[in-house]
Amino acid sequence: MAAIATTPSQFELAAWAKTITPSALQDMLSATANPEVISFALGLPAPELFPRHQFSQLASTLLEAEPLALQYGPPSTTLKTAIVSLMAQRGVRCRPEQIFLTNGAQQGMNLLVRLLLADGGSVLLEDCIYTGFQQVLDPFQAKLLTVPTNPETGMDVAAVEAHLAAGQRPSLIYAISDGHNPLGVSMSLAQRQQLVELAQQYQIPIIEDDAYGFLSYQADTIAPMRALSDDWVLYIGSFSKILAPSLRVGWLVVPEWLIERLSIVKEASDIGTATLSQRLVAAYTQTHQLTTHIDQLCQIYTTRRDTMFSALEQHFPSQTRWYQPSHGMFIWVELPTTVDPFKLLDRAINQAKVAFIPGSVFGVAGKSMSTNGIRLNFSNADIDQINAGIERLATIMQTLKA
Amino acid sequence: MAAIATTPSQFELAAWAKTITPSALQDMLSATANPEVISFALGLPAPELFPRHQFSQLASTLLEAEPLALQYGPPSTTLKTAIVSLMAQRGVRCRPEQIFLTNGAQQGMNLLVRLLLADGGSVLLEDCIYTGFQQVLDPFQAKLLTVPTNPETGMDVAAVEAHLAAGQRPSLIYAISDGHNPLGVSMSLAQRQQLVELAQQYQIPIIEDDAYGFLSYQADTIAPMRALSDDWVLYIGSFSKILAPSLRVGWLVVPEWLIERLSIVKEASDIGTATLSQRLVAAYTQTHQLTTHIDQLCQIYTTRRDTMFSALEQHFPSQTRWYQPSHGMFIWVELPTTVDPFKLLDRAINQAKVAFIPGSVFGVAGKSMSTNGIRLNFSNADIDQINAGIERLATIMQTLKA
């Protein structure tokens, strides 16, 4: 049949979609897939620590033994039960009926926002936060109520109270209890208690993003806010940072009444989380190696974090400041005011083959964040790479000042 | 620490989320997971035909050999290239740069609608259509411009033209070229040409849902609408019906300028499609068994379809009418007007252990569809089950009439 002639004109997009700006993530994923590049850029786990051989055996056994391994299926009850045990290790009591399986933490926040954010509604969040959460908000063009945050003391909870006392009624509050992305900071017990009290008092749910919380580098840890309230804290967890991101399995812990609604929104999004991925993670949890695996990650990441501190101390100019994270994958570094982080990044990637993320990209839209901060990931590179990468960054920085 | 007292009150949901009604899918997935139930309900592939042993070997090899098999990663170029070849088999010419990987067809339509549907916009669709597409629309509370459809002649394209000529300007047109869900009908070449011409003339993109199009039961097939226009047809494909739904891998074929925007919306949704799933499908395509596998599916499903016809002929009352689908997984059956499909379903599931979907659930929201149609799936049950299931349904139907 003859092809109908086509015009080069483009069809109309929804208004918000016309304003979409490119994200750094896909480019960074490609750039950092180059083995020559030392990446401090993304929140990637150490690939050499993945339990690939166990997964190889588990996958092979599962696919041979389970006739429905490649079929559609309901969410895995085995996996939900394993997650309940995992949450208990974080000091959170919950039931399988409160667990909702997602494609990683990102989908968890996406589904929750779509359910919670009212038309013309507002969202309360820190003024420097994970860009992926900001991307979730973009289509809604919601009013953003920001509160100050910093790498030393974290979210300014008094500023949250000020918004609420002034009559603001956001649809939700977004917070990261442990291992803040990008600042690395964790909230104190007092901050958690105050924020949960405000949520209850003003009847506004908190989305608690705990993607990094299991990666803890100190003996004393504080339970997530979900331990303080079953009703007002919607908890987001993920296997991406503690097991294997390529499977895309995460979870929510939410009040049971929300589960059915989440199921519908999830179904409309992608039918369900890949059942093969669910089964693989469930099978791995049943080998009882997950706790040991997380302990090993924490041990090795502690060494990497401390190596990065030493390298910063040794190579970076004395006006540099950095902050010690007790959790997660990131160190926030404030460069001397004479250094432009974007100029540094450009030379770092092209000349030194080192990648990182300039801190101002995390500034919440509408506020052009003025910061000389940069976010450095310490989980994805080994000790030699960390030493080499920091030294190369310092050398490049000198050429910038000259 | 002491737990803060919680209240039983619930937080506010977005307006549309308060109106969410339960979906049949999750319940049906659970019900049909019961091996006693003969399921004609869902669009499930035959589980015994899954290439499980090949996947077992591929998964094992992949996880042993590929250091980044469990890591985040960019979309698989190998897989995109394989999809280009697959599309060529459907008569569609495209390039890897026009392929966008999704978590199955459902995510494809979800992402496209989110990009295309303007605030206060409308959508043009048939008055009886796949519920999953309707679920995608729900949060937008879009105006629905419906056109008649039926199991014999499909979408009424003249009615599409009437809407457009009357000044309606929907954000998109949704259509299924082959193996309509639920009606089973395929569009004629003339219908495809007319619809694409209208899309070009009025500059409105068509979302072409081709989830079932590769399952063809006749020698002569017509190419999807995407073959008629690179610019105005946004094609949705999936490996769920032709390979393995548990992996959640599908694709879009779209104009290249749309890819970056899709990447951002996808990233905000779930970072990316599980790279392990991508790699598994890519590895399977590289064994060059996919075409043979699809041919085998088509052969066996033809037999199942024909078995169901014979069983309907033999057991169902003479006032029943059904339609022969050339593609897909469904037969549309119109019951005698004396039979209430919902009463039949209730007794069928509970007494006869047979499941199907009453046709009126596919009626587009706002129009209460008056139909005695039911949708019967013929791919998931084997020949003996099909014969037994249809006979049981006929018996139950007799008790209803008595």
Side-chain angles (χ1 to χ4, degrees):
Chain A
M1 81 202 86
I4 295 172
T6 56
T7 69
S9 58
Q10 298 180 354
F11 41 80
E12 277 290 294
L13 297 178
W16 80 271
K18 293 177 197 163
T19 68
I20 288 179
T21 48
S23 139
L25 179 59
Q26 298 304 325
D27 288 347
M28 277 292 181
L29 274 177
S30 299
T32 58
N34 176 352
E36 276 182 41
V37 171
I38 296 177
S39 176
F40 304 142
L42 302 173
L44 269 56
E48 68 276 18
L49 303 179
F50 288 132
R52 275 197 292 130
H53 306 301
Q54 286 99 314
F55 269 92
S56 168
Q57 288 174 356
L58 291 170
S60 172
T61 306
L62 183 60
L63 283 156
E64 290 292 348
E66 175 48 72
L68 297 180
L70 294 174
Q71 186 63 291
Y72 292 103
S76 163
T77 306
T78 312
L79 182 54
K80 290 185 191 179
T81 306
I83 289 168
V84 168
S85 303
L86 200 60
M87 291 305 301
Q89 295 176 25
R90 296 273 292 137
V92 170
R93 286 174 53 177
C94 58
R95 294 173 288 110
E97 296 75 22
Q98 296 168 320
I99 307 292
F100 187 82
L101 301 178
T102 63
N103 299 358
Q106 185 70 38
Q107 186 177 54
M109 60 189 79
N110 193 301
L111 297 178
L112 286 175
V113 166
R114 281 153 71 188
L115 274 179
L116 294 173
L117 186 51
D119 278 346
S122 59
V123 170
L124 199 152
L125 73 174
E126 292 158 284
D127 60 13
C128 173
I129 201 72
Y130 173 51
T131 49
F133 182 70
Q134 300 183 48
Q135 287 181 320
V136 169
L137 299 179
D138 279 346
F140 297 94
Q141 314 213 280
K143 184 177 169 190
L144 303 179
L145 306 171
T146 59
V147 297
T149 189
N150 73 57
E152 210 154 23
T153 57
M155 186 184 224
D156 183 343
V157 180
V160 174
E161 181 158 25
H163 274 303
L164 299 174
Q168 298 287 1
R169 290 296 175 269
S171 297
L172 61 98
I173 299 167
Y174 175 78
I176 301 175
S177 301
D178 286 303
H180 187 281
N181 184 0
L183 299 173
V185 65
S186 295
M187 291 168 74
S188 69
L189 176 58
Q191 277 170 306
R192 295 174 202 221
Q193 288 173 331
Q194 285 159 20
L195 194 63
V196 172
E197 277 168 18
L198 289 170
Q200 291 180 337
Q201 183 184 343
Y202 290 94
Q203 312 238 318
I204 295 164
I206 297 168
I207 294 185
E208 177 177 42
D209 180 356
D210 198 43
Y212 295 97
F214 282 87
L215 298 174
S216 168
Y217 312 124
Q218 63 186 22
D220 283 349
T221 60
I222 309 168
M225 288 184 284
R226 172 56 178 73
L228 302 172
S229 171
D230 294 9
D231 292 328
W232 295 97
V233 179
L234 311 176
Y235 176 97
I236 300 177
S238 175
F239 287 102
S240 293
K241 309 302 179 183
I242 57 175
L243 191 57
S246 87
L247 303 173
R248 309 307 307 129
V249 182
W251 69 91
L252 301 174
V253 188
V254 297
E256 200 174 335
W257 66 269
L258 209 58
I259 295 287
E260 186 161 37
R261 289 181 172 85
L262 281 165
S263 300
I264 311 285
V265 189
K266 165 81 172 159
E267 190 181 308
S269 301
D270 58 15
I271 305 295
T273 292
T275 47
L276 185 64
S277 289
Q278 292 183 40
R279 286 181 196 270
L280 281 172
V281 176
Y284 184 77
T285 62
Q286 294 197 307
T287 67
H288 302 291
Q289 295 174 68
L290 182 57
T291 304
T292 316
H293 180 68
I294 295 173
D295 287 348
Q296 190 201 15
L297 292 180
C298 291
Q299 208 178 332
I300 291 171
Y301 290 171
T302 301
T303 309
R304 291 183 180 190
R305 179 195 65 167
D306 296 346
T307 301
M308 193 172 271
F309 289 149
S310 306
L312 287 165
E313 186 74 48
Q314 189 182 343
H315 300 293
F316 268 42
S318 59
Q319 311 96 304
T320 316
R321 196 171 171 195
W322 55 87
Y323 301 86
Q324 174 158 327
S326 63
H327 292 75
M329 293 186 168
F330 304 112
I331 297 176
W332 183 261
V333 178
E334 281 161 7
L335 301 176
T337 50
T338 51
V339 181
D340 176 339
F342 284 95
K343 281 194 189 152
L344 179 63
L345 176 64
D346 185 57
R347 291 206 196 170
I349 285 191
N350 293 310
Q351 295 172 24
K353 306 281 180 213
V354 181
F356 65 88
I357 308 270
S360 63
V361 308
F362 301 98
V364 171
K367 313 217 167 189
S368 91
M369 188 187 178
S370 158
T371 178
N372 266 47
I374 63 173
R375 189 190 77 172
L376 297 182
N377 166 272
F378 56 83
S379 58
N380 189 234
D382 66 25
I383 287 178
D384 289 345
Q385 290 171 319
I386 289 172
N387 280 317
I390 294 296
E391 186 173 356
R392 284 193 223 163
L393 271 185
T395 307
I396 287 285
M397 217 183 309
Q398 295 233 321
T399 69
L400 274 180
K401 290 164 123 180
Chain B
M1 79 203 86
I4 296 173
T6 55
T7 68
S9 58
Q10 298 179 355
F11 41 80
E12 277 290 295
L13 297 178
W16 79 272
K18 292 177 197 164
T19 68
I20 287 179
T21 48
S23 140
L25 179 60
Q26 297 304 324
D27 288 346
M28 277 294 180
L29 273 177
S30 300
T32 57
N34 176 352
E36 278 181 40
V37 172
I38 297 175
S39 176
F40 303 143
L42 302 172
L44 269 56
E48 68 277 18
L49 303 179
F50 288 132
R52 277 197 293 129
H53 305 301
Q54 287 98 314
F55 269 91
S56 168
Q57 287 173 356
L58 291 170
S60 169
T61 306
L62 183 61
L63 283 155
E64 291 292 348
E66 175 47 72
L68 297 180
L70 294 174
Q71 186 63 290
Y72 293 102
S76 164
T77 306
T78 312
L79 182 54
K80 289 185 192 179
T81 306
I83 289 169
V84 168
S85 303
L86 199 59
M87 292 304 299
Q89 296 177 24
R90 298 271 293 135
V92 170
R93 285 175 55 176
C94 58
R95 294 173 287 110
E97 296 75 23
Q98 297 169 322
I99 306 292
F100 187 82
L101 301 178
T102 63
N103 299 357
Q106 185 69 38
Q107 185 176 55
M109 59 190 80
N110 192 301
L111 297 178
L112 286 175
V113 166
R114 281 153 72 189
L115 274 178
L116 294 173
L117 187 51
D119 279 346
S122 59
V123 171
L124 199 153
L125 73 175
E126 291 157 285
D127 60 14
C128 172
I129 201 71
Y130 173 51
T131 49
F133 182 70
Q134 299 184 48
Q135 287 182 323
V136 169
L137 298 179
D138 280 346
F140 297 95
Q141 314 213 278
K143 183 176 170 190
L144 303 179
L145 305 171
T146 59
V147 298
T149 189
N150 73 57
E152 212 155 22
T153 56
M155 186 184 224
D156 183 343
V157 180
V160 174
E161 182 159 24
H163 274 303
L164 300 174
Q168 298 288 0
R169 290 296 175 270
S171 298
L172 60 98
I173 298 167
Y174 175 80
I176 302 175
S177 301
D178 286 303
H180 187 280
N181 183 1
L183 300 174
V185 66
S186 294
M187 290 168 75
S188 69
L189 176 58
Q191 277 172 306
R192 296 174 204 219
Q193 287 173 331
Q194 284 158 20
L195 195 62
V196 171
E197 278 168 18
L198 290 170
Q200 291 180 338
Q201 183 183 344
Y202 291 95
Q203 312 238 321
I204 294 164
I206 297 169
I207 294 185
E208 178 177 42
D209 180 357
D210 197 42
Y212 295 97
F214 282 88
L215 299 174
S216 168
Y217 313 124
Q218 63 185 22
D220 281 351
T221 60
I222 308 168
M225 289 183 283
R226 172 57 176 74
L228 300 173
S229 171
D230 294 10
D231 291 329
W232 296 97
V233 178
L234 312 176
Y235 175 97
I236 301 178
S238 175
F239 288 103
S240 293
K241 310 301 178 184
I242 57 174
L243 191 57
S246 87
L247 302 173
R248 311 304 310 128
V249 181
W251 69 91
L252 300 175
V253 187
V254 297
E256 199 174 337
W257 65 270
L258 208 58
I259 295 286
E260 186 162 34
R261 289 180 173 86
L262 280 165
S263 301
I264 311 284
V265 189
K266 166 80 172 158
E267 191 181 308
S269 300
D270 58 17
I271 305 295
T273 292
T275 46
L276 186 64
S277 289
Q278 292 182 41
R279 286 181 196 269
L280 280 172
V281 177
Y284 183 78
T285 61
Q286 294 197 306
T287 67
H288 303 291
Q289 295 174 68
L290 181 58
T291 303
T292 317
H293 180 67
I294 295 174
D295 287 347
Q296 190 199 13
L297 292 180
C298 291
Q299 207 179 331
I300 291 172
Y301 290 170
T302 300
T303 310
R304 291 184 181 190
R305 180 195 64 166
D306 295 346
T307 301
M308 193 172 270
F309 289 150
S310 306
L312 287 166
E313 186 75 48
Q314 188 181 344
H315 300 293
F316 267 42
S318 58
Q319 311 96 305
T320 316
R321 196 170 171 198
W322 56 87
Y323 301 85
Q324 174 158 326
S326 63
H327 291 75
M329 293 186 168
F330 305 112
I331 297 175
W332 183 260
V333 178
E334 280 162 8
L335 302 177
T337 51
T338 50
V339 181
D340 176 340
F342 283 95
K343 280 194 189 149
L344 180 64
L345 177 64
D346 185 56
R347 292 206 196 168
I349 286 192
N350 294 311
Q351 295 172 23
K353 306 280 182 215
V354 181
F356 65 87
I357 309 270
S360 65
V361 309
F362 301 97
V364 171
K367 313 218 166 188
S368 87
M369 187 187 177
S370 156
T371 179
N372 265 48
I374 63 174
R375 189 191 76 174
L376 297 183
N377 165 273
F378 57 83
S379 58
N380 189 234
D382 65 26
I383 287 178
D384 290 345
Q385 290 172 320
I386 289 172
N387 280 317
I390 294 296
E391 187 174 357
R392 285 193 223 163
L393 271 186
T395 308
I396 287 284
M397 217 183 310
Q398 296 232 320
T399 69
L400 274 180
K401 289 164 124 180

